[in-house]
Amino acid sequence: MQTYNLEILSNMSKKIKSDGKKIGLCHGVFDVIHAGHISHFEEVKKNCDFLFVTVTEDKFVNKGPNRPVNSHYFRAKVLESLKHVDYVGINYTSDAVKSIETIKPDFYFKGNDYEGKKDLTLRLQKEALAVKKIGGKLIFTESPLKSSTEIINKSFSYIFDSKLQKFLSTKNKESLLNDSIKSLEKIKNQKVLIIGDAIIDQYDTVRGLNKPPKENILATRYIKSDTFLGGVFAAATNLSQFNNNVEVCTVIGADADIKKKISNFSKKIKSKIFVEKSKVTVRKRRLVGESDGRKISEIYYMDDNFLSNSNSKKINQYLNKNLKFYDVVILIDYGHGFINQDIYKTLLKKSKFLAINCQSNSANLGFNLITKYKKSNYICIDEPELRLATSNNQDEIEKIVKDQLNHKIINKNVTITRGRNGCFSYKNSKVLNVQVVISEKVINTIGDGDVFLVITSLLYSIKTDQLVASLIGNIAGALKVDILGHSKSISQSNFYAVLKHILK
């Protein structure tokens, strides 16, 4: 057959059923077909007259970095060639519910590796309900299966980064997976306050034109503009995928175009938002290419003296009264005029667990250093920020943290994120380097460090194992770079899928 449209499969299903024949459906990624799949299909075909198989569209495959290996069209073509498979379709959604509702099989088959296992992504739960609604039956096959992911991880180093593969090969992956899941369960109900700068991220999509004949500049054509809430708003939105009690404290300006967005945000996440009526919120306007979404240039709209004395006093009053109710406080200082020493002193004095990130960017390079915060429970910054704060561009990170940073601040828990080189952590004098979860689909690195920060802050607050915290943070960061700015948050379902498949 030459098409993989589900509607065509629906028509075929109706015809087959009208002849009194039974239909079976299998759904999955089927990235690399192996003997386990063949045995699975052979068993399935014994229980039905016609076997329909649908595959997941590429963009919904969350089995680790740079997956799938093969496109959905290629995967469908391979399945179509198997003698036990009668019809093949491509499902353009994240689970099999659409396939089930469209094809209406008599039986929906899953491998025995799904039976009795905790459904972290909740997809099987949705699919089972869909099968029940159409009057079908969910059946788990008995054929021994082998994971495509395991085969790919062992056979293709360009798919599963060889450094991470080697690093994890010496670990007990099953234990690591169980410990990760237990830690994520523990942080679900912690009461968390994220305090820091509000930022408006504006993305102006443009199409490149020819170079002007008389000027050596880049000419572009405006296509559209998208505005998102960034800064602490984005950090809180991402953390809310893993925690049910996130709150935000921040200050905004009198920007008319974000009122509705702020209102919608406050309905989902509890917020204490102060307003500077005569100023505008920090806005970072970026030109991005139409074809790949990558940044071309950016403009900052900002006021270095953003916080008024009046709001500073109100914020301190609010913090003094309410900090006792939070298990974890995360201070994200983007260096845009909100956080002052009075606020920090209140946070330090009243917080049960204080995590800090102090960021360097093009607007404050060299002036917003982590060393201005002399004490906290956890620090998470990137390597350039560490080197700026210690004026050391030569020594290894371990030496800088031990010999310089620890002399400037009091902190037993430090994590240094290193982009494609993973992360370095220092916990109670124990040093650990963890390789990064590589993603070749890097669209935008904005916010990946914030995602790493907020989730590891909670993990460190409950004294999670150093390796578990670093691995979880790396996976969360890898998922974030595949998203344009703050257009959406990372997905809990996707996170668990990647975690599970990396640790197979």
Side-chain angles (χ1 to χ4, degrees), residues 98-336:
K98 180 68 174 177
S99 295
I100 294 165
E101 293 176 341
T102 305
I103 297 168
K104 293 181 171 56
D106 298 284
F107 310 108
Y108 179 56
F109 296 94
K110 298 296 288 185
N112 58 19
D113 55 331
Y114 285 91
E115 188 171 15
K117 296 290 182 66
K118 185 173 182 180
D119 181 14
L120 298 174
T121 66
L122 300 181
R123 290 172 190 163
L124 183 57
Q125 183 178 325
K126 295 177 184 176
E127 293 165 1
L129 182 61
V131 172
K132 184 177 180 180
K133 285 184 177 179
I134 63 164
K137 183 178 180 181
L138 173 61
I139 298 176
F140 295 98
T141 59
E142 297 178 358
S143 304
L145 294 177
K146 187 174 180 65
S147 166
S148 292
T149 296
E150 188 177 353
I151 293 171
I152 292 167
N153 288 349
K154 290 181 178 179
S155 305
F156 302 96
S157 61
Y158 64 92
I159 298 301
F160 189 60
D161 181 63
S162 57
K163 290 182 179 179
L164 179 59
Q165 183 181 23
K166 184 178 180 180
F167 177 80
L168 291 175
S169 67
T170 62
K171 312 299 178 186
N172 184 328
K173 293 183 182 179
E174 183 178 357
S175 176
L176 194 53
L177 177 60
N178 291 335
D179 289 345
S180 297
I181 294 170
K182 287 178 183 177
S183 294
L184 289 165
E185 285 292 324
K186 286 182 181 179
I187 67 173
K188 273 186 178 180
N189 295 312
Q190 283 183 297
K191 197 166 176 58
V192 184
L193 177 68
I194 300 180
I195 180 170
D197 304 86
I199 298 173
I200 302 171
D201 286 307
Q202 181 175 327
Y203 289 83
D204 292 344
T205 302
V206 296
R207 182 180 302 153
L209 301 176
N210 291 320
K211 174 184 170 296
K214 296 182 180 181
E215 296 178 288
N216 189 29
I217 61 172
L218 174 67
T220 59
R221 178 177 180 176
Y222 173 83
I223 304 298
K224 64 173 183 174
S225 183
D226 296 297
T227 302
F228 311 109
L229 295 181
V232 291
F233 293 120
T237 300
N238 282 293
L239 185 58
S240 67
Q241 288 287 310
F242 304 92
N243 178 274
N244 302 319
N245 294 301
V246 185
E247 298 184 21
V248 162
C249 176
T250 191
V251 182
I252 64 172
D255 310 74
D257 64 332
I258 65 168
K259 287 183 178 180
K260 186 175 180 180
K261 292 181 182 295
I262 293 292
S263 176
N264 290 337
F265 175 87
S266 298
K267 291 175 183 177
K268 298 176 182 177
I269 296 176
K270 187 176 179 180
S271 310
K272 184 63 177 179
I273 300 174
F274 298 84
V275 180
E276 292 290 346
K277 296 181 181 179
S278 62
K279 299 177 181 178
V280 295
T281 311
V282 173
R283 184 181 297 250
K284 299 182 179 182
R285 183 180 178 190
R286 301 172 174 95
L287 293 187
V288 296
E290 180 187 31
S291 60
D292 59 8
R294 296 185 183 274
K295 289 186 294 183
I296 298 171
S297 64
E298 62 185 6
I299 303 171
Y300 283 27
Y301 302 83
M302 54 190 294
D303 186 335
D304 290 328
N305 298 309
F306 184 66
L307 186 65
S308 64
N309 289 332
S310 174
N311 270 332
S312 180
K313 290 178 181 177
K314 291 177 182 177
I315 291 167
N316 261 307
Q317 290 173 353
Y318 167 77
L319 294 174
N320 271 302
K321 182 179 179 181
N322 293 283
L323 284 175
K324 62 185 177 184
F325 299 117
Y326 302 103
D327 300 306
V328 181
V329 176
I330 304 173
L331 166 59
I332 310 180
D333 183 358
Y334 296 93
H336 297 314

Side-chain angles (χ1 to χ4, degrees), residues 320-377:
N320 271 302
K321 182 179 179 181
N322 293 283
L323 284 175
K324 62 185 177 184
F325 299 117
Y326 302 103
D327 300 306
V328 181
V329 176
I330 304 173
L331 166 59
I332 310 180
D333 183 358
Y334 296 93
H336 297 314
F338 170 29
I339 303 299
N340 57 36
Q341 282 297 306
D342 287 339
I343 292 174
Y344 164 62
K345 288 177 182 177
T346 301
L347 293 173
L348 182 60
K349 183 180 179 181
K350 300 282 187 176
S351 300
K352 296 175 184 176
F353 185 95
L354 177 61
I356 300 179
N357 170 259
C358 187
Q359 296 192 16
S360 294
N361 52 57
S362 56
N364 63 35
L365 196 64
F367 297 98
N368 197 49
L369 305 177
I370 191 63
T371 47
K372 71 181 181 179
Y373 297 114
K374 300 302 181 183
K375 187 177 181 181
S376 63
N377 300 105

Side-chain angles (χ1 to χ4, degrees), residues 349-479:
K349 183 180 179 181
K350 300 282 187 176
S351 300
K352 296 175 184 176
F353 185 95
L354 177 61
I356 300 179
N357 170 259
C358 187
Q359 296 192 16
S360 294
N361 52 57
S362 56
N364 63 35
L365 196 64
F367 297 98
N368 197 49
L369 305 177
I370 191 63
T371 47
K372 71 181 181 179
Y373 297 114
K374 300 302 181 183
K375 187 177 181 181
S376 63
N377 300 105
Y378 175 60
I379 284 173
C380 181
I381 56 177
D382 65 24
E383 183 176 352
E385 289 161 348
L386 170 71
R387 295 189 179 279
L388 275 171
T390 56
S391 301
N392 190 331
N393 199 33
Q394 300 296 326
D395 292 330
E396 294 293 324
I397 289 179
E398 181 176 345
K399 180 175 176 59
I400 297 174
V401 171
K402 285 184 175 180
D403 297 346
Q404 290 184 262
L405 188 66
N406 283 350
H407 291 164
K408 294 176 180 287
I409 59 177
I410 300 173
N411 195 297
K412 294 182 178 180
N413 301 312
V414 178
T415 296
I416 308 299
T417 56
R418 307 183 65 205
R420 297 183 72 86
N421 293 315
C423 67
F424 166 95
S425 61
Y426 180 86
K427 181 179 181 181
N428 295 323
S429 300
K430 181 183 177 183
V431 170
L432 179 67
N433 287 284
V434 176
Q435 298 300 323
V436 73
V437 179
I438 296 292
S439 173
E440 296 299 334
K441 301 188 293 181
V442 176
I443 294 177
N444 194 308
T445 59
I446 290 175
D448 58 326
D450 294 347
V451 172
F452 186 105
L453 160 74
V454 293
I455 194 165
T456 56
S457 293
L458 271 62
L459 293 169
Y460 269 87
S461 75
I462 62 168
K463 297 181 171 55
T464 297
D465 176 76
Q466 200 171 358
L467 173 56
V468 170
S470 296
L471 181 62
I472 289 173
N474 277 338
I475 293 174
L479 289 172

